[in-house]
Amino acid sequence: MPSLEAVHLTKRYGSFVALDDANFRFEGAGAIGYLGPNGAGKTTTLKLMTALGSPTFGRGLLNGVDVQTDAKRALWDVGSVIESPEPYPWQTGQKTLEMVAELRGMPRRDAARRIVELARALDLPPLDRKTGRLSKGQRQRIVIAAALLSDPSIIILDEPTSGLDPAERVAIRNILLELKKDRLILMSSHLLSEVTEVCDRAIFINHGKILLNDTVEAISKRAVDMEVDVEFASPMAAADLGPKIAELVRSIKSLSATKLRIDYGGGQEKRAEILRRCVAAGPVVSFASATLTLEEAYLQLMGSSNAGPNPLARD
Amino acid sequence: MIRDWDQFLVSLKTQVRSYLYTYRFWVILGIMLAVGGGISIAFTIKGVAWVHSNFGQNAADYVGGELGFISFLAIVTGAFFGGDAISTDFGTKTGYYMLAQPVRRKVLLAGRYAAALLVSVGMFAIFYLFAIYGGTYFYSFGSIPWANLGLSFLFGALLVAGILSFAFALSATSRSPAIGLVLTIIVLLVVFNIADGLVARFAGSQYVVYSILYASNIVSTVITDGLSASNPALWVGLVIMAAYTVLFLAISLILYQREET
């Protein structure tokens, strides 16, 4: 069963802390999204996990093998795309993939068959063309193909769809959805919709610190316990309802002429009282927990990590 | 899991291909052919009598004289083939591709070094072939001191190994692929030449033992003087060249293993 673990992983550049005591462990198949703004520490983490950098403290383990002390064995069953790697520009796509196959000890026949499979699945550019003459997106697809070539059990991807057009993104996303059924994928991305669609879990990181590590579903649920969406049969302004429930809520926001989002901070009794007062204020069509997209959770978390305690963190 | 040896061969093969697919191989080949071929053609035009009056009646003197260019060619060859061996991984995004593969960096480095040495010695051999042609044409095949020439070739290979190690180490100090190449040429051709001259003049030639240029003299003197060659003595030259090979290769390896993308 594939496993991936960071133990007190820390990276400092002088006084700057790029990664501060990161800890996580994942085992078994699935996909984990690694989210954070630019400079948050995402790529640093992925570099440390793939032996492209060495930690100041702590260690990274891939399938139980320490990346720093035995990189060859640790990376043996791992395919990765970190930053936007550039294969040798003088090599053709075919030779680029064959070289990786040779370095990974794949039998020639298996490699040839796999290259054909990947060329079809990823719609690779003509493989007899030198990679230096390919577009960024075409090169990125060659690099992704190289990462998947040996059919590794762990796949580490740093913004894998960056530079790809929408159709290429869909193709990669579909492949990831297929792969995550029996492989472990750790991927950073700026595209929260992509993470929502592909990943089962998400890690939020900012200023080098991991803020949250949970399932995508749970992250949304944490926020829904704090807000309700109320829909009235007739128009209802936030200013009209506000005075009636003021002491119970933190804020009221109009979503439409008839729909309001009430942030009450959680609590069943408070929620029941808000419902009672809303019904008294006008005919209520629906009263339900607010749904929060991963994007909204991300924005909440990143906003607060710059200015205060984490509203999504569990007590 | 694949053996280090097999990965070494992949690294070697890839590096040799990289030379063949880039201009540098053809530039060096051009220099070798121009210098070696130019000398041979010029001397052939001048004629046997001219060669004998300038190089003497001895084939060893002629071959040794022609191979006097060898340190210059070794420096250019070493700089071109070794000057970007390490920086290429960090100055471009190739490192993100190669270094994330399950291969030890020392294995990658060893493959690249072996490839650079192989190609450099191959280039070197071209120059020796021209020297042999001249020795045969102007003197006779039998008059060439074959044993000494063989030793000279081995010493030349060691000289190239030392210069390649030096170039590898310089290439590990910068992220720019051009820096290692330019620095190797400037340091060995200009700085060492000036420093060696000053040290030899004011302190004595016995103090120039830090210089691989000084050591490189044995590549040609062994042909004319055999095992009794001096300035430097063969063993001194060999120790200097071996020390450059080992010391700077070790520095390259340490820097390469510590370097981060």
Side-chain angles (χ1 to χ4, degrees):
Chain A
M1 193 183 289
S3 71
L4 191 153
E5 185 175 5
V7 184
H8 301 299
L9 207 54
T10 303
K11 181 67 182 177
R12 292 196 188 104
Y13 297 100
S15 60
F16 175 70
V17 184
L19 188 63
D20 189 3
D21 195 28
N23 290 283
F24 52 77
R25 177 180 167 77
F26 304 105
E27 197 170 331
I32 302 113
Y34 202 37
L35 304 170
N38 285 331
K42 300 187 302 288
T43 300
T44 301
T45 311
L46 300 187
K47 280 184 184 176
L48 298 182
M49 294 301 294
T50 50
L52 292 172
S54 26
T56 311
F57 186 73
R59 58 201 188 125
L61 302 164
L62 296 168
N63 288 327
V65 183
D66 192 321
V67 178
Q68 272 67 47
T69 57
D70 193 353
K72 182 179 175 181
R73 211 153 63 83
L75 294 171
W76 186 248
D77 200 17
V78 177
S80 64
V81 177
I82 310 296
E83 295 270 6
S84 296
E86 285 179 10
Y88 292 119
W90 50 267
Q91 254 180 346
T92 63
Q94 181 76 25
K95 288 287 176 204
T96 298
L97 295 172
E98 283 175 0
M99 182 189 71
V100 171
E102 283 185 71
L103 278 175
R104 289 175 174 269
M106 291 176 73
R108 239 170 233 217
R109 193 177 295 175
D110 291 357
R113 179 185 49 76
R114 187 82 180 123
I115 289 170
V116 171
E117 278 173 17
L118 288 167
R120 202 175 304 131
L122 292 167
D123 190 22
L124 295 181
L127 291 175
D128 57 353
R129 203 177 292 169
K130 287 182 181 171
T131 61
R133 298 196 173 172
L134 299 175
S135 70
K136 192 184 170 200
Q138 289 175 321
R139 229 170 16 238
Q140 183 78 347
R141 277 182 282 152
I142 294 276
V143 165
I144 292 172
L148 303 179
L149 193 61
S150 63
D151 211 6
S153 68
I154 297 177
I155 298 160
I156 299 177
L157 305 169
D158 186 17
E159 296 178 24
T161 56
S162 114
L164 301 184
D165 64 35
E168 291 168 338
R169 281 184 182 162
V170 170
I172 299 292
R173 198 179 57 208
N174 290 338
I175 286 172
L176 293 177
L177 282 168
E178 194 58 37
L179 287 171
K180 77 168 192 172
K181 289 176 185 166
D182 53 3
R183 289 169 187 80
L184 180 55
I185 301 172
L186 174 65
M187 60 179 275
S188 76
S189 178
H190 277 123
L191 300 172
L192 299 175
S193 57
E194 185 175 84
V195 173
T196 307
E197 211 162 328
V198 173
C199 298
D200 315 294
R201 297 186 68 94
I203 301 176
F204 286 16
I205 183 172
N206 201 7
H207 303 307
K209 266 197 169 306
I210 290 183
L211 304 173
L212 189 65
N213 172 4
D214 212 334
T215 62
V216 171
E217 195 184 356
I219 289 169
S220 301
K221 202 159 176 266
R222 283 177 196 193
V224 299
D225 291 340
M226 293 188 257
E227 295 183 332
V228 284
D229 287 346
V230 189
E231 191 172 6
F232 291 88
S234 53
M236 175 68 73
D240 295 336
L241 182 66
K244 294 172 182 143
I245 55 172
E247 79 277 16
L248 298 172
V249 304
R250 298 196 294 207
S251 67
I252 307 175
K253 193 166 67 180
S254 281
L255 299 178
S256 68
T258 57
K259 199 169 181 181
L260 301 167
R261 175 163 292 173
I262 300 169
D263 177 357
Y264 66 102
Q268 290 301 313
E269 282 179 19
K270 217 193 268 185
R271 187 180 168 114
E273 181 58 21
I274 291 168
L275 173 60
R276 198 186 62 74
R277 293 190 194 184
C278 284
V279 170
V284 172
V285 176
S286 73
F287 185 90
S289 294
T291 55
L292 198 67
T293 62
L294 194 62
E295 188 167 49
E296 288 167 320
Y298 174 87
L299 291 173
Q300 273 192 18
L301 194 56
M302 292 308 152
S304 66
S305 80
N306 291 325
N310 172 4
L312 299 182
R314 282 201 170 123
D315 295 332
Chain B
M1 199 184 303
I2 186 172
R3 295 175 306 167
D4 283 350
W5 171 252
D6 293 320
Q7 290 184 319
F8 162 82
L9 292 177
V10 176
S11 172
L12 187 154
K13 191 171 71 177
T14 305
Q15 190 67 15
V16 169
R17 277 201 185 130
S18 89
Y19 293 142
L20 295 176
Y21 282 100
T22 51
Y23 290 119
R24 80 183 89 175
F25 178 86
W26 305 104
V27 169
I28 296 290
L29 185 62
I31 290 174
M32 288 292 175
L33 291 174
V35 177
I39 290 171
S40 298
I41 291 168
F43 287 3
T44 305
I45 292 168
K46 286 279 186 186
V48 174
W50 184 89
V51 169
H52 283 198
S53 67
N54 282 278
F55 288 94
Q57 300 297 317
N58 193 343
D61 290 333
Y62 171 82
V63 175
E66 188 164 342
L67 291 175
F69 287 102
I70 219 71
S71 57
F72 164 74
L73 294 171
I75 290 167
V76 173
T77 307
F80 269 72
F81 291 132
D84 68 345
I86 293 175
S87 53
T88 191
D89 278 342
F90 304 103
T92 66
K93 289 189 168 181
T94 307
Y96 289 113
Y97 186 70
M98 287 304 292
L99 302 179
Q101 299 299 335
V103 53
R104 294 186 171 90
R105 289 191 185 188
K106 64 181 177 189
V107 173
L108 273 183
L109 186 80
R112 288 178 188 175
Y113 187 82
L117 188 60
L118 196 71
V119 174
S120 300
V121 171
M123 289 287 180
F124 224 68
I126 294 171
F127 205 73
Y128 274 80
L129 288 177
F130 279 118
I132 291 168
Y133 156 79
T136 307
Y137 183 82
F138 299 118
Y139 300 89
S140 69
F141 189 77
S143 64
I144 293 172
W146 289 104
N148 289 350
L149 191 65
L151 277 178
S152 165
F153 187 73
L154 290 177
F155 295 172
L158 187 57
L159 172 66
V160 174
I163 289 170
L164 277 174
S165 292
F166 189 76
F168 267 56
L170 285 181
S171 93
T173 62
S174 165
R175 292 200 160 211
S176 161
I179 291 288
L181 192 155
V182 174
L183 268 183
T184 304
I185 289 179
I186 289 176
V187 171
L188 291 182
L189 276 185
V190 182
V191 178
F192 269 39
N193 253 324
I194 294 170
D196 291 1
L198 290 173
V199 171
R201 177 164 182 185
F202 294 110
S205 62
Q206 71 272 25
Y207 291 104
V208 198
V209 289
Y210 60 83
S211 170
I212 196 166
L213 281 190
Y214 173 62
S216 72
N217 287 333
I218 67 169
V219 178
S220 53
T221 56
V222 72
I223 296 172
T224 49
D225 304 336
L227 298 177
S228 61
S230 59
N231 196 32
L234 292 187
W235 73 268
V236 173
L238 288 173
V239 167
I240 295 172
M241 292 192 292
Y244 265 70
T245 305
V246 174
L247 183 70
F248 285 106
L249 193 57
I251 291 171
S252 311
L253 183 60
I254 291 166
L255 292 175
Y256 190 44
Q257 289 195 310
R258 290 169 61 99
E259 186 73 45
E260 301 185 6
T261 54

